[in-house]
Amino acid sequence: MSDSAAKSGLKIQVSRSQKQLLSTFSGLFILGVVFSILSPYFFSVNNLLTVATQTAVIAIIAIGQTYVLITGGIDLSIGSNIALSAMVAGLVMRAQLPVPLAICAGLVTGAISGAVGGILVAIANIPPFIATLGTMTIARGLALTLTQAIPISGLPKSFTVLGTGSTLGIPNPVIVMVLLVVVFGFILAKTKLGRHVYATGSNFEAARLSGVNTKKVLITVYVFSGLLAAFAGLIMAARIISAQPAGGDGYELDAVASSVIGGTSTMGGEGTAAGTFIGAFVIGVLRNGLNLIGVSPFIQKIVIGIVIVASVFLDRMRKKD
C-alpha cells in the first residue's frame, strides 16, 4: 500500500471515528434535553454529580470491555470479577491488614482472573464467549464460597472514602474514572500495544503474519478487563461500605452496551475509549432519567435492551456500508 493510500485510509478512519463520537454525543445531549423537560430535578448539580458517580463503575468496566471487543472477543466475566475482587479485598481488611495491601490484593485478583480468561482464549483456542462464561461462573462461585455468601461489612473509613469521599467537590469515584479512562485511552490510541490491539481485531491472521504477537495481545486485553473490573469492584464496595458476593451481577451487559453505543464494533477492529466513555454516560443518564420520571426497573431493562440491540444493528449496517 502506498503512503498516500495509507494516509487516505487513515483520514477516512479518523473521520469515521469523529462522526461516531459526534453521533453518540448528540444522542447523550438529546437524552439530557428530554429528561430536563420531563423532570426539573434532572439538571441540578446534585443530580448531575449523582449521574457521574453512578456512571463511574460502568465507564471503568466498559473501557476494559472495549479492549476485548476491538480484538473481536467478549468478556462475560466482568460482573463476577467485580464481586470476587471486592470479596478478596474485604477479607484482607477484615484480617486487620493495611488498606493499601487489600486494594492491591483485589486488583491482582481481578488481573489474574482476566489472565485465566485470556489464556483460555489465546492458548487453548476456546471461543471468548465460552471461555469467559466459564470464568464468570468460577469467579462468582469463588466469591460466594469465600464467606459462604455472607457480605463483608464494617470496612475501614480509610477505604470507604474511595467511594464516598470527594476531592475539591468532585466525588472520588469520578476522579478515579477519569484517570483510568485517560490512561487506558492513551494506551489504546497512542502506543504500540494499542496499534497491535486494533491490528489483531481487524485481521487476526494478517497481524500474526506481520509479526504481531497476537496471543500476547489477547491475554493482555483480558488482563486489562479483569484489572478494570477489580477497580470497579473496589469502588462499589467502598460506596456501599461492604463487599457483596452477589455484587456486579449483570454489569457485563452494561459494559457491552456502553462500548457498542460508543462506536466499538462487535466484529472487532474499531472502537475508542472516548466513545465508550460517552456511551457509558448514555446508559447512566438513561437509567437516572427513567428513575426520576418513575419508570419501573423492569421497564428500564427493556428500554436498555432495545438500545443495545439497536446499537448492534446500526453497527452491522455501518460495516455493510
Side-chain angles (χ1 to χ4, degrees):
M1 183 183 291
S2 67
D3 286 348
S4 59
K7 288 178 181 176
S8 175
L10 182 62
K11 286 180 180 177
I12 292 171
Q13 181 66 35
V14 170
S15 175
R16 188 182 298 168
S17 300
Q18 289 174 337
K19 283 170 65 178
Q20 179 61 45
L21 273 178
L22 183 61
S23 172
T24 308
F25 187 77
S26 299
L28 178 63
F29 180 76
I30 291 170
L31 277 177
V33 171
V34 170
F35 286 126
S36 296
I37 294 170
L38 295 176
S39 171
Y41 182 70
F42 177 81
F43 213 62
S44 65
V45 173
N46 283 340
N47 188 55
L48 292 180
L49 285 175
T50 299
V51 171
T53 305
Q54 291 174 340
T55 304
V57 167
I58 299 173
I60 290 170
I61 58 175
I63 294 298
Q65 188 70 272
T66 297
Y67 270 84
V68 176
L69 287 172
I70 290 174
T71 62
I74 189 169
D75 188 355
L76 297 179
S77 65
I78 285 176
S80 299
N81 283 340
I82 287 175
L84 179 59
S85 303
M87 292 300 289
V88 170
L91 284 172
V92 174
M93 283 183 273
R94 194 168 71 177
Q96 304 296 317
L97 292 172
V99 168
L101 180 63
I103 292 175
C104 289
L107 296 178
V108 169
T109 299
I112 291 174
S113 180
V116 172
I119 290 170
L120 291 174
V121 172
I123 308 297
N125 291 322
I126 298 175
F129 184 89
I130 302 300
T132 56
L133 187 65
T135 54
M136 176 186 80
T137 307
I138 294 169
R140 182 67 68 185
L142 286 173
L144 292 166
T145 303
L146 285 174
T147 59
Q148 298 303 306
I150 299 173
I152 300 173
S153 56
L155 301 178
K157 190 174 180 180
S158 55
F159 172 73
T160 58
V161 71
L162 178 68
T164 58
S166 62
T167 303
L168 301 175
I170 303 173
N172 288 338
V174 177
I175 294 173
V176 175
M177 170 188 69
V178 171
L179 289 175
L180 290 174
V181 169
V182 169
V183 169
F184 283 89
F186 177 82
I187 293 172
L188 186 60
K190 300 294 183 182
T191 68
K192 182 179 177 182
L193 173 61
R195 291 193 293 275
H196 286 181
V197 170
Y198 283 109
T200 301
S202 296
N203 190 325
F204 184 89
E205 197 59 24
R208 188 182 66 79
L209 294 173
S210 300
V212 175
N213 189 338
T214 50
K215 291 183 179 179
K216 184 179 176 182
V217 169
L218 287 178
I219 293 172
T220 301
V221 298
Y222 283 94
V223 169
F224 281 178
S225 182
L227 180 65
L228 288 167
F231 269 110
L234 294 174
I235 290 175
M236 190 181 291
R239 279 190 65 201
I240 60 178
I241 318 180
S242 70
Q244 301 283 338
D249 188 28
Y251 271 61
E252 53 276 348
L253 296 180
D254 283 348
V256 172
S258 301
S259 301
V260 173
I261 291 170
T264 303
S265 173
T266 54
M267 301 167 75
E270 288 184 19
T272 62
T276 297
F277 181 68
I278 299 173
F281 270 87
V282 169
I283 295 292
V285 165
L286 190 60
R287 190 164 283 154
N288 177 267
L290 292 173
N291 274 327
L292 287 179
I293 61 177
V295 175
S296 80
F298 310 123
I299 302 297
Q300 290 181 32
K301 286 183 179 294
I302 296 172
V303 172
I304 291 174
I306 292 172
V307 170
I308 294 172
V309 172
S311 299
V312 173
F313 176 74
L314 290 174
D315 171 53
R316 299 280 170 154
M317 295 301 292
R318 283 203 313 270
K319 282 285 184 181
K320 285 183 179 178
D321 292 340

